[in-house]
Amino acid sequence: MTATMTRTVNDLHQDAPAVVPHLVVTPAAEAIAWYERALGFELVHCLNMPGAETVMHACMTYRGMPLFLADEFPMPRCPKSPRALGGTTLTIHLHAP
């Protein structure tokens, strides 16, 4: 999965709001494609695990607002997807100056 960089990652983080939602979804690549197609999100960047399709971190924007996404990882203390927990999950990133 590749993204056309309209802004650099540093620009996005510098201009980012103080709070950014971060979704853990499985499979993240399918969610990214759906958010682009159905909701009009734009993929800014996507970092995959080396040699795999697993998304370590992706950043999408909608009307200039960022959304972070990642696949679920089966390691202790890693956030779980709604599928694994049987409910809704959301992580919030707080950007401090």
Side-chain angles (χ1 to χ4, degrees):
M1 178 177 302
T2 60
T4 302
M5 300 279 289
T6 57
R7 301 173 68 188
T8 68
V9 173
N10 289 337
D11 288 342
L12 183 66
H13 288 289
Q14 183 177 2
D15 298 337
V19 175
V20 178
H22 185 173
L23 303 177
V24 176
V25 293
T26 299
E30 288 181 19
I32 290 167
W34 187 83
Y35 291 148
E36 287 178 310
R37 184 179 64 254
L39 302 176
F41 277 80
E42 179 182 329
L43 182 60
V44 177
H45 68 268
C46 184
L47 303 171
N48 290 348
M49 288 287 291
E53 292 295 319
T54 305
V55 175
M56 293 182 351
H57 176 74
C59 179
M60 302 184 82
T61 58
Y62 180 76
R63 297 183 180 179
M65 300 302 291
L67 170 69
F68 296 159
L69 290 100
D71 267 303
E72 176 179 275
F73 288 85
M75 297 177 284
R77 298 188 183 153
C78 285
K80 301 298 180 206
S81 71
R83 183 179 294 167
L85 295 177
T88 303
T89 61
L90 174 69
T91 301
I92 304 275
H93 284 266
L94 177 63
H95 290 261

